[in-house]
Amino acid sequence: MPNKVAFDQPFPQIAASEALFERARGLIPAGTQTLAKGPSQYVDGVAPKYLARGKGARVWDVDGNEFIDLTMAVGPLVLGYGHPAVDRAIAQQLESGITFSLMHPLEVEVAELLRRVVPGADAVRFSKTGCDVTSAAVRLARAYTGRSKVLCCGYHGWHDWYIGTTPRRAGVPAETRGMTEVFPYNDLFALMEALDDHVACVILEPMIFEQPDADYLRVVKRACEAAGALLIFDEMWTGFRVALGGAQQRFDVVADLACFSKAVANGMPLSVLTGRAEVMKLLDEEVFFFTTFGGEALSLAAAKATIEELRELDVPARLETAGRRLLEGYNRLAASKGLEHTWAAGLPCRTLVSFDAAAGDPLLQKSLVQQELIRHGVLWTGFHNLSLAHTDQDIEHVLLAYDRALDVLASALAKGTLAESLRGKPVQPVFRKTQ
Ligand SMILES: Cc1ncc(COP(=O)(O)O)c(C=O)c1O
């Protein structure tokens, strides 16, 4: 019998997952198209590897096991799987076509909608992936300023200009690597030192899990202005989540350019570049940024429905409330068990559970918690990516599951049996170079 969302079950049968993965071996390098969904992020032999279906905040793997999902497709599913209004919009659009030989009216409608909700969105362009738009923003900044150097902070995608700063930089020419520098978050001194008159732009995730110091983002903006560099916010995670208008609204700082994807279309592949008219107008002619599927209509229909739902249901406020229960609940549980070395942090809509090396190998601790949560019907990689579909009962279930999982962790730490408690290969580090 497949597992359900229930407590203290046997470990789930995952034979169909394992059989699929065997077929992928040697055929699909790395096994996955999205690192964060791949086998390195789950305890091998314990966690399922392939999901077949999702509804609301629940998912079913290919063996039929059911879980509460705390990853939500690594960000896009802000309303939940199969959200009716979005699915209806996609189905309706499908009747008249997916992608066309001329432009589609939805390109105009969704751009107008975004101009209304995103601060500083004088102009709007669409593409498919997050790194399409971060790379377009960087090229725009270089064209606008006539400079080459890029300063970045966060993760910005697989393209040469960014990935060359990381250990996964094979294939990126040294000349390209030399043009991007990484700066640490919340460290104004380090940024000022790097911000010379060769810098075309400063691109950063306005917030990841650490809160910006008071006025940090405002001072970064002023420093960019003074240096003649453009400020670009990578809002892939903050967009439509920390507020309807993203971090620019929440922190009241408007960047020159802003990049969005993930939550904008509740799972359909769409990314968005917005920004100041004077900069964006270079996309008219000078700067080339065009792609076959940029105006694909199913995703635009999904975006229109998603943004309307986010606004009408005040989703960011609801994520904040549910996320706060989870964040505070986790921290209370950890403290009550004397586990000071683990905590959850971030803005409530998206929090991360961390483990300190002082108590034991953090990856082993995380693996053990993940392994235990699987027995209680919770699929988890350390993140709480909240969606509208996570109910109060779901949050309650997750907290009760944490209660049990943290008992197992505390006992393994006390007995020094962390490694032996794992039934499979532990998880590997999340790839995220943020300095
Ligand atoms: C902050 C941030 N920027 C850019 C990207 C790249 O987006 P994509 O994977 O859609 O290219 C991601 C992906 O997770 C991201 O989290």
Side-chain angles (χ1 to χ4, degrees), residues 96-420:
S96 42
I98 301 169
T99 193
F100 297 89
S101 309
L102 294 177
M103 299 173 289
H104 191 274
L106 277 167
E107 293 173 52
V108 184
E109 285 175 39
V110 180
E112 284 176 342
L113 185 53
L114 286 162
R115 184 173 55 191
R116 283 200 294 279
V117 302
V118 173
D122 301 337
V124 179
R125 282 288 297 270
F126 299 109
S127 197
K128 287 286 123 195
T129 69
C131 64
D132 286 353
V133 285
T134 56
S135 299
V138 165
R139 187 179 293 168
L140 258 182
R142 284 174 164 161
Y144 183 81
T145 59
R147 302 168 174 184
S148 301
K149 205 159 118 189
V150 174
L151 303 182
C152 71
C153 174
Y155 174 78
H156 306 295
W158 70 272
H159 288 338
D160 284 7
W161 70 267
Y162 168 72
I163 213 69
T165 67
T166 75
R168 299 289 299 268
R169 61 182 176 224
V172 179
E175 296 78 359
T176 305
R177 284 191 241 148
M179 282 189 276
T180 307
E181 265 177 44
V182 176
F183 67 93
Y185 190 69
N186 264 342
D187 184 341
L188 284 168
F189 183 73
L191 178 64
M192 300 304 183
E193 279 227 311
L195 196 47
D196 59 27
D197 59 9
H198 300 289
V199 174
C201 60
V202 170
I203 175 167
L204 79 161
E205 290 185 73
M207 174 170 171
I208 306 179
F209 297 106
E210 182 182 338
Q211 304 272 350
D213 291 343
D215 257 2
Y216 173 67
L217 295 171
R218 221 178 297 279
V219 177
V220 171
K221 179 175 168 150
R222 277 206 298 272
C224 287
E225 280 165 1
L230 295 192
L231 175 62
I232 303 169
F233 277 176
D234 178 340
E235 295 234 38
M236 242 50 83
W237 275 104
T238 48
F240 309 97
R241 202 184 300 269
V242 301
L244 184 60
Q248 296 186 104
Q249 179 184 334
R250 175 121 184 181
F251 300 115
D252 195 19
V253 176
V254 177
D256 294 293
L257 298 168
C259 307
F260 302 86
S261 174
K262 298 209 190 266
V264 68
N266 201 50
M268 290 297 279
L270 187 73
S271 56
V272 179
L273 174 63
T274 66
R276 194 147 68 77
E278 195 194 346
V279 183
M280 291 288 283
K281 82 170 189 299
L282 294 187
L283 292 173
D284 278 339
E285 280 191 26
E286 291 92 327
V287 174
F288 193 92
F289 177 44
F290 299 105
T291 183
T292 304
F293 293 112
E296 175 267 308
L298 294 188
S299 299
L300 289 168
K304 185 174 170 208
T306 301
I307 297 165
E308 281 165 358
E309 288 288 276
L310 289 169
R311 184 167 57 185
E312 275 161 30
L313 303 174
D314 197 6
V315 173
R318 290 169 70 166
L319 302 184
E320 181 99 8
T321 308
R324 190 175 297 287
R325 274 189 66 205
L326 202 45
L327 167 70
E328 292 175 354
Y330 184 88
N331 287 337
R332 246 194 321 270
L333 276 172
S336 73
K337 296 175 195 302
L339 295 169
E340 299 88 23
H341 60 275
T342 177
W343 65 94
L347 286 179
C349 63
R350 181 191 179 220
T351 49
L352 169 71
V353 172
S354 298
F355 300 90
D356 197 321
D361 183 333
L363 290 175
L364 296 186
Q365 296 185 63
K366 178 176 168 183
S367 300
L368 185 55
V369 171
Q370 181 186 81
Q371 176 177 297
E372 289 306 305
L373 289 177
I374 283 171
R375 294 176 56 222
H376 308 309
V378 177
L379 194 63
W380 173 93
T381 54
F383 301 93
H384 302 143
N385 296 333
L386 268 292
S387 79
L388 179 69
H390 286 98
T391 61
D392 286 350
Q393 291 92 314
D394 290 335
I395 305 290
E396 192 59 34
H397 182 93
V398 172
L399 288 173
L400 289 168
Y402 271 138
D403 192 8
R404 290 160 159 84
L406 290 179
D407 280 343
V408 174
L409 175 66
S411 154
L413 286 171
K415 291 194 232 144
T417 55
L418 203 48
E420 302 90 293

